[in-house]
Amino acid sequence: MTNLAIPHPYHLDNWQKSLSDLITNPNELIAIAKLDPKNSRFSKLATQIFPLKVPRQFAALIRPGDWDDPILAQILPKVDENSHSTSHSHDPLKEAQFTPETGLLHKYKNRVLLITAPHCAVNCRYCFRRHYDYQTNSPSQIEWEQTFDYIHRNKDIEEVIFSGGDPLALSDRRLAWLINQVEGISHVATLRIHTRLPIVIPQRITKEILEKFKNSKLKIVLVTHCNHANELTKITEHAFAKLHKAGVLLLNQSVLLANINDKSSTLAALSKKLFSQNILPYYLHMPDAVQGTQHFAVTEHKAKEIMEELRGLLSGYLVPTLVREDPGAPSKTRV
Ligand SMILES: *Cc1c(COP(=O)(O)O)cnc(C)c1O
Ligand code: SF4
């Protein structure tokens, strides 16, 4: 328990405080992670395109003094991001074509994805939305009504996906409003929430949010984004136990990232730790060809080899499905 007299540095009892007290200064990150500034891999230029942003308690999981740490590698703006690649672009998924309403993506027949929040708690360097213009794509209240109207009219839609940004970065009040809108559409049975908050700020899983999930008539699926076993702690375990108890189906998706998790032993350890926290592996994504992320790329040949080894190490239900996203395809493509 935290001592009430001394504010806890990670605000473990107040997720909003954690979210407003992020590390954005690289020198602070370097000091906290006890990194030797002489060997710095940090790039200021990279932060101008996509800023440094990380919750303190997540940064605390970095192994002190290790520039190769798998958590540091996910959040540190590096020189590698500045090299230009002709095979990479700003919108590799051609999402603009599948946006009938502001903030709504309808690519696959029975499900739609909503950009519910304009920001995240952490800026992941490999993010395929690192160039996304949240400003123009953030629906106004009227546009939100049009979005839900679209879902009302399209009886094929059985599942609504809250994505982002990070939907759990929204206030409980805003989130409840969005959930209520979905509950009001009779042909929608499932609400899926894609979020990294339970990993990076697990105290986001409040009593209020658990009550909302528990009392919903929708089947709720929460897809966490975790790439390495080191991201899972006693505190995340507690948060996921509560979600599990509230009847939420817990899945995880990872991105296959060079020098972070591109080894079968690393991915096997991740799957086992996820399972110990009531989460089943769902997808392992090939990184999308987004400008500034080419140093994370893993070839499909290598990815297939890793998967082959992984199947020898894990029960079938702990092996994620390796997928990539092809613009225009009717679903994600199995590799
Ligand atoms: C990935 C994605 C989905 C969900 O696809 P699943 O295979 O069901 O996980 C839905 N809509 C869009 C636009 C997506 O990119
Ligand atoms: S949490 Fe997800 S959307 Fe946000 S920066 Fe990370 S990968 Fe991108």
Side-chain angles (χ1 to χ4, degrees):
M1 283 274 65
T2 47
N3 181 341
L4 289 179
I6 308 163
H8 193 278
Y10 308 143
H11 315 291
L12 293 181
D13 52 1
N14 188 331
W15 68 273
Q16 283 105 333
K17 272 198 184 151
S18 300
L19 191 58
S20 58
D21 182 28
L22 303 169
I23 300 173
T24 54
N25 178 337
N27 295 329
E28 192 183 1
L29 176 65
I30 287 170
I32 285 173
K34 301 194 166 52
L35 297 160
D36 180 357
K38 278 205 293 292
N39 301 327
S40 183
R41 323 245 173 102
F42 166 73
S43 160
K44 184 146 192 256
L45 182 62
T47 63
Q48 286 161 6
I49 293 162
F50 192 48
L52 165 71
K53 193 164 90 170
V54 60
R56 287 172 193 280
Q57 65 211 87
F58 193 57
L61 302 175
I62 296 166
R63 288 187 298 247
D66 185 356
W67 281 104
D68 295 319
D69 177 83
I71 289 179
L72 182 68
Q74 295 181 49
I75 56 151
L76 183 76
K78 276 196 200 149
V79 182
D80 312 86
E81 294 178 28
N82 308 325
S83 64
H84 189 88
S85 158
T86 47
S87 58
H88 288 59
S89 76
H90 282 197
D91 179 19
L93 306 182
K94 311 266 181 292
E95 287 192 327
Q97 291 174 20
F98 303 98
T99 305
E101 303 290 344
T102 311
L104 180 143
L105 286 168
H106 195 181
K107 264 192 180 174
Y108 309 145
K109 195 171 191 305
N110 78 328
R111 50 211 191 278
V112 288
L113 185 148
L114 304 185
I115 307 288
T116 51
H119 58 279
C120 303
V122 56
N123 279 349
C124 312
R125 305 318 296 179
Y126 54 85
C127 182
F128 72 102
R129 286 204 207 285
R130 71 205 314 278
H131 303 286
Y132 191 80
D133 182 0
Y134 287 112
Q135 216 79 43
T136 8
N137 290 293
S138 282
S140 63
Q141 192 57 31
I142 290 175
E143 286 171 324
W144 269 120
E145 278 156 31
Q146 287 166 352
T147 290
F148 285 111
D149 218 45
Y150 176 92
I151 304 172
H152 263 289
R153 288 196 312 272
N154 283 267
K155 305 271 189 277
D156 285 338
I157 300 169
E158 298 163 318
E159 177 174 18
V160 172
I161 302 170
F162 288 178
S163 180
D166 198 311
L168 293 192
L170 296 169
S171 68
D172 281 343
R173 205 164 133 234
R174 188 72 203 150
L175 195 62
W177 184 83
L178 288 166
I179 296 175
N180 293 344
Q181 301 310 302
V182 180
E183 284 174 341
I185 305 171
S186 57
H187 50 272
V188 175
T190 306
L191 171 66
R192 190 193 321 180
I193 300 176
H194 277 255
T195 175
R196 205 151 155 63
L197 252 300
I199 304 286
V200 300
I201 305 182
Q203 62 270 36
R204 173 65 185 98
I205 306 307
T206 55
K207 263 203 213 84
E208 291 72 25
I209 211 175
L210 288 165
E211 278 305 305
K212 187 75 192 153
F213 290 165
K214 218 185 290 176
N215 298 327
S216 180
K217 62 167 210 181
L218 298 162
K219 178 77 200 159
I220 309 225
V221 182
L222 188 143
V223 184
T224 64
H225 292 198
C226 176
N227 298 312
H228 194 283
N230 290 6
E231 296 170 50
L232 298 166
T233 64
K234 280 279 163 221
I235 304 176
T236 63
E237 182 174 10
H238 189 55
F240 289 121
K242 288 190 284 190
L243 284 163
H244 181 69
K245 219 172 133 202
V248 176
L249 176 65
L250 300 172
L251 303 175
N252 180 66
Q253 81 178 23
S254 310
V255 182
L256 184 59
L257 299 163
N259 303 317
I260 292 176
N261 61 10
D262 59 341
K263 272 214 271 225
S264 55
S265 56
T266 308
L267 290 170
L270 171 60
S271 276
K272 288 181 199 174
K273 196 137 179 210
L274 286 165
F275 187 55
S276 77
Q277 302 201 359
N278 288 308
I279 308 163
L280 284 174
Y282 178 41
Y283 281 155
L284 176 63
H285 278 267
M286 295 298 293
D288 298 310
V290 181
Q291 199 60 255
T293 67
Q294 34 282 8
H295 55 294
F296 289 119
V298 177
T299 62
E300 282 204 5
H301 178 75
K302 182 168 180 191
K304 285 184 202 160
E305 268 177 14
I306 294 170
M307 289 306 293
E308 195 56 46
E309 287 172 19
L310 198 55
R311 278 187 281 274
L313 296 174
L314 292 169
S315 310
Y317 57 86
L318 292 186
V319 180
T321 305
L322 181 66
V323 292
R324 65 160 195 267
E325 193 150 344
D326 296 331
S331 70
K332 308 266 188 265
T333 308
R334 267 125 193 96
V335 177

